[in-house]
Amino acid sequence: MELIRLTPGSWRTWRDIRLTALASDPAAFGPVLERERGYTEQDWRTSLLPEQGVRVVARDAGPGAEGSVGLVAAIPHWEDSGVLYLFSMWVRPEARGRGVGAALVGDVLEWAGEHGWPVVRLRVFLDNEVARRLYLRMGFAGEGEHLERRLGGGVPEQAGAPSPATVSFAAADRVER
């Protein structure tokens, strides 16, 4: 398995796996799926700018590889400048149970540490036992649907990582071409 941290130049990869993930559960993600199906190339590129956090895709490697088998994203929390918010965690059903989820979460934690984020937070539904066990094994703690992992890093702005003040969904003029 190969983990790839995406850049604006890899927008098609993010678009394809993200739409596949959303389409896997239309009852839960239908409105989001319809909105994101309408995104332009520029929208997808903008979502992959460095100040938007990190997007990671897992790919099978080697002969007969299936291509992208999972994804995860993490963005600066919109209310708490010291928190990176992990979301959009998904693994293809046929790739589950092979460590893909742990590898994806581990890469986000590594990226967060590299950029000085002191806390990574996420939301997981109470009835999603498989995901909850994964996050607990990865060092997340908390009660209810919100779990977090303290990394002990500095304030992100001091470490040069993006903060909510620098996050802009209208940053299209700085997109790689």
Side-chain angles (χ1 to χ4, degrees), residues 19-106:
L19 293 178
T20 297
L22 292 172
S24 73
D25 190 351
F29 302 117
V32 176
L33 174 62
E34 287 310 308
R35 182 181 69 235
E36 292 191 18
R37 277 185 177 152
Y39 281 5
T40 65
E41 175 183 335
Q42 192 66 48
D43 294 328
W44 290 108
R45 286 179 177 274
T46 299
S47 74
L48 295 169
L49 290 170
E51 60 267 24
Q52 302 295 340
V54 65
R55 307 300 193 280
V56 183
V57 168
R59 283 198 176 146
D60 269 347
E66 302 170 28
S68 298
V69 295
L71 76 149
V72 68
I75 60 173
H77 196 279
W78 50 95
E79 292 178 348
D80 189 340
S81 65
V83 174
L84 186 69
Y85 186 74
L86 186 150
F87 73 104
S88 195
M89 173 70 181
W90 180 78
V91 175
R92 286 186 187 275
E94 61 273 14
R96 293 177 186 165
R98 297 185 350 210
V100 175
L104 287 165
V105 172

